[in-house]
Every structure is written in C-alpha cells, then in structure tokens.
Amino acid sequence: PRMEVKDSIKDAKQAGITPVMITGDHRNTAVAIAKELGIADSIDQSLTGAEIDELSDEEFSKKINDYRVFARVSPEHKVKIVKAYKSQGNIVSMTGDGVNDAPSLKYADIGVAMGITGTDVSKGASDMILTDDNFTTIVHAIEEGRNIYNNIKKSVIFLLSCNLGEVITVFASILFFWPVPLLPTQILWINLITDSLPAIALGIDPGDKDVMKKKPRNPKESFFAYGAGVRAVIGGVLIGILTLAAFYFGLTEYGYSLGSKNIPEEVLTYARTMSFVVLAGTQLFYSLSMRNSTKSILRIGLFSNMYLIGAIIVGFILQFGVISIPFLANAFSVHNLSLRDWGLVILFALVPLIVNEIIKMFMRGDKME
C-alpha cells in the first residue's frame, strides 16, 4: 500500500465513508493489506467470488454491510457488489482501471477511473477520472465538494435573508399605510452592492476545517435542513424590523411618526436615508455570521476570509459615498446623517449579527466555544 493511503482511509472513515477493497488477489493477501490500511479488522470481514455465487441476491444484500474485503472476484461479482450496497441505501463510488471494471463503474453512483493506468473503456464508463491515480485525491475531492455545497448554501441563505428583510420593510409600510421607507433606486442599489459582494465572497469561503468530521449529507434532506430555513427567516425579520425602526427614528427626530400625514419631503428623505443605511449595514455585518451555522466568527477567524472583509469594507465605502457625494445623494434621494445618527444606524446594523451569534451559542450548548 502507498504511504499516504492509510491516513486518507482514516479521514474517509471519520467522514462517514466506508472504504471497501475489491480485488482479484488471494483472500489472505487482500485481508493482510486491508488490516494494514485499517479497512478490515479480521478475515471474517472478507468474502470470495465463489462464496458470493453461493448466496442469492437477497441474502447477499442483507449481509453486504458486514464485509470490507472481496477477493478473487470477476467483473460480474463487482456489479453484484455495487448493486447490493445500493440496495441498502448507500451512495456508492467505485474505482477501477481495466476493461473488466467498466460495468461496475457504470452502475455505481460515481464511477472513478484511473487517468494514468486506466483503459479508454474504463474512462468512458466513469463519471470522474483521477489524473494522478491516487486514492487520497478522492478524499480531497469529497472535502472540496462538501465545502462547495456549504458555500452555495451560505450564499443562498444570506440572499434569502436579505431579500426577505426588504420584502418585510416594504410590505409592512403598504399594509399599515405608512410612508414607504425605501425608494426603488435604493432597493436596486442594495441588491447590486450590499447583497451581491458578500454573497460572492461567501461563495469562495475557505470552508470548514472540520467538514470531514461530519457524516455524509442525506441526498433526500431539504436544502433548509438543520435550521437553515429558520435562520433565514429570523435574519430577514430582524433586518426588516430594524430598517423600519430606523425609518421611525428618522421621522421622530423631526416630530413626526409613521402614521403622520403631510410629512415634508426633506423629513422623508432624511428618514429614508437612515433606513437605507441600516438595511445596507445589517446585510453587510450579517454576512459575517453566515460563514458557519454553529461556530462563532471568532472561532473560525474574523479575517480568515479576506474577500468577505474586503466586500464589507467596499460596501460601507460605497454606501458612505452615495450619501456624502452630492450628485449621488440627489440621484438616490438621500441626505447626509448627523454623527449621532451614524452611531445609531451602526448600532442597529450590528443587531442581526449579534442575535445570530447568540443563537449559535445556544445551539452549541457551549458558551466557551
């Protein structure tokens, strides 16, 4: 066995993946190597092709999870093994390099052919080709795949939270006949800048170092499993309420309320500026807590994704520019804020981040983490 394979098999088993050896070699040889690699513990976990022939398909399927080594097998046996594992609800990946491996590569959920020693037939039948013929690469690919899926999930949940916040803000104002806190141009700006930049940065997040310590995801589970949907709703509701609260505070500074009639345009512009900044700020800060569903931002490292930090800084600079530069302020119907109000909107903007971090703390049940 190659030196690096033993550690990779250990990582695979820790990730809930069961490595199985299928070989044409003698049983004793196969079991000896399997023991050395940590695939099997005893010869009882092995089966030969001749013994497979003695079992019916039903019997073989029932016993399949008891075995880790299959020796002296033919191409037909390989297909039978793959079918038996699939019948028990397993997602099966099969590796091979020869013409005789093609049927089982084709039948597996993920057929993996060898790029160097593999035949053209095996490559054609497979879903993936290993360019370096190394088992370790498969384990690395699984880790990469898990992180890619998690990053897509982070981006989608983040965008759903942000857009739900915008919907709640506008819907509540229409429902209760309040002045609309956001203009169409302002919503467009939010969607283009403060939504998009952090979402892209989350999509290229370095990923969780402990992702291979978790069991495989059930392919039938919902995209919103493990509280992802609840987090999206909580985040969206908080963003919406805080945006409306900022609009309310902007009006009260001039002696008006949400139900007041004939509010001067200057007052509306100032209050809308406050809600505009809060909506942008909450989304930018909230993106930090979306990096991991259970670990705190301090534990995963505040600066471990510099793209996200850059996206947040650029977002705030652009937001400040829109309010401060006169021709942009006129285009977006906003007004520069007082120092006191800047402090208030930043405080409001931090609330969803803080709330989400507190929720994570209770989910872990470990306040020291």
Side-chain angles (χ1 to χ4, degrees):
R2 292 186 183 183
M3 292 299 292
E4 72 276 5
V5 174
K6 190 171 183 178
D7 289 334
S8 297
I9 284 171
K10 186 181 175 184
D11 291 341
K13 289 174 84 172
Q14 198 173 34
I17 300 155
T18 306
V20 173
M21 183 191 289
I22 304 176
T23 178
D25 288 336
H26 193 277
R27 174 190 270 185
N28 291 346
T29 310
V31 171
I33 292 172
K35 280 182 181 178
E36 196 178 329
L37 291 173
I39 291 175
D41 299 319
S42 69
I43 201 162
D44 296 333
Q45 290 179 299
S46 66
L47 203 66
T48 63
E51 289 170 330
I52 292 172
D53 289 332
E54 291 172 11
L55 298 169
S56 67
D57 288 350
E58 291 76 20
E59 285 176 312
F60 186 50
S61 294
K62 285 176 185 176
K63 294 180 178 180
I64 190 71
N65 289 320
D66 298 333
Y67 301 109
R68 296 290 178 268
V69 177
F70 298 94
R72 294 290 190 198
V73 293
S74 67
E76 293 79 16
H77 293 137
K78 291 178 183 179
V79 173
K80 196 172 180 179
I81 292 163
V82 171
K83 283 183 176 180
Y85 273 117
K86 286 181 77 172
S87 71
Q88 294 299 310
N90 295 295
I91 303 293
V92 182
S93 174
M94 174 77 183
T95 63
D97 57 3
V99 174
N100 62 344
D101 293 318
S104 52
L105 287 171
K106 193 76 177 171
Y107 199 85
D109 293 296
I110 305 151
V112 183
M114 302 298 153
I116 300 169
T117 59
T119 60
D120 289 339
V121 175
S122 66
K123 289 177 188 177
S126 67
D127 302 291
M128 189 167 77
I129 299 168
L130 285 184
T131 55
D132 59 359
D133 287 12
N134 196 334
F135 175 79
T136 306
T137 307
I138 297 174
V139 180
H140 290 325
I142 292 166
E143 184 178 1
E144 187 73 19
R146 287 186 178 188
N147 278 323
I148 288 168
Y149 178 84
N150 289 340
N151 286 352
I152 292 168
K153 194 170 182 176
K154 290 174 202 173
S155 297
V156 172
I157 299 297
F158 170 71
L159 289 170
L160 281 174
S161 295
C162 295
N163 285 286
L164 180 61
E166 293 167 24
V167 168
I168 287 170
T169 304
V170 176
F171 182 72
S173 61
I174 293 168
L175 192 67
F176 298 109
F177 303 101
W178 296 334
V180 179
L182 295 162
L183 297 174
T185 49
Q186 293 169 350
I187 293 173
L188 185 63
W189 171 266
I190 296 285
N191 286 337
L192 285 173
I193 306 299
T194 52
D195 274 11
S196 303
L197 293 178
I200 293 166
L202 285 170
I204 52 173
D205 197 65
D208 186 4
K209 292 174 183 175
D210 296 328
V211 75
M212 290 298 277
K213 292 179 182 176
K214 296 170 184 173
K215 297 299 176 192
R217 174 179 56 86
N218 187 333
K220 293 179 182 177
E221 82 176 20
S222 165
F223 189 78
F224 301 102
Y226 304 109
V230 174
R231 284 198 305 277
V233 171
I234 290 172
V237 169
L238 279 171
I239 291 168
I241 289 170
L242 289 160
T243 305
L244 286 167
F247 186 63
Y248 169 77
F249 275 103
L251 292 174
T252 55
E253 282 188 28
Y254 290 91
Y256 294 93
S257 69
L258 290 168
S260 300
K261 304 292 181 186
N262 303 317
I263 301 169
E265 196 60 36
E266 298 80 27
V267 176
L268 277 175
T269 299
Y270 193 86
R272 279 177 181 149
T273 304
M274 286 190 69
S275 60
F276 181 44
V277 176
V278 166
L279 182 61
T282 49
Q283 294 180 2
L284 289 169
F285 283 133
Y286 187 64
S287 63
L288 284 169
S289 70
M290 294 304 297
R291 288 192 59 200
N292 196 289
S293 59
T294 54
K295 293 179 185 175
S296 70
I297 52 170
L298 296 175
R299 188 171 178 223
I300 59 176
L302 189 61
F303 300 104
S304 56
N305 184 350
M306 289 308 294
Y307 292 110
L308 183 58
I309 299 297
I312 292 167
I313 292 168
V314 168
F316 273 114
I317 290 169
L318 291 170
Q319 196 67 27
F320 185 74
V322 163
I323 292 162
S324 307
I325 300 166
F327 82 92
L328 285 173
N330 290 333
F332 286 92
S333 302
V334 288
H335 191 284
N336 210 343
L337 300 175
S338 66
L339 200 61
R340 173 184 170 274
D341 286 340
W342 268 111
L344 184 67
V345 295
I346 294 296
L347 189 68
F348 276 13
L350 285 166
V351 171
L353 168 63
I354 294 165
V355 169
N356 206 31
E357 289 299 301
I358 291 168
I359 290 169
K360 285 184 198 178
M361 192 168 71
F362 281 108
M363 280 175 68
R364 290 192 306 267
D366 179 9
K367 295 183 182 182
M368 297 301 291
E369 192 173 345

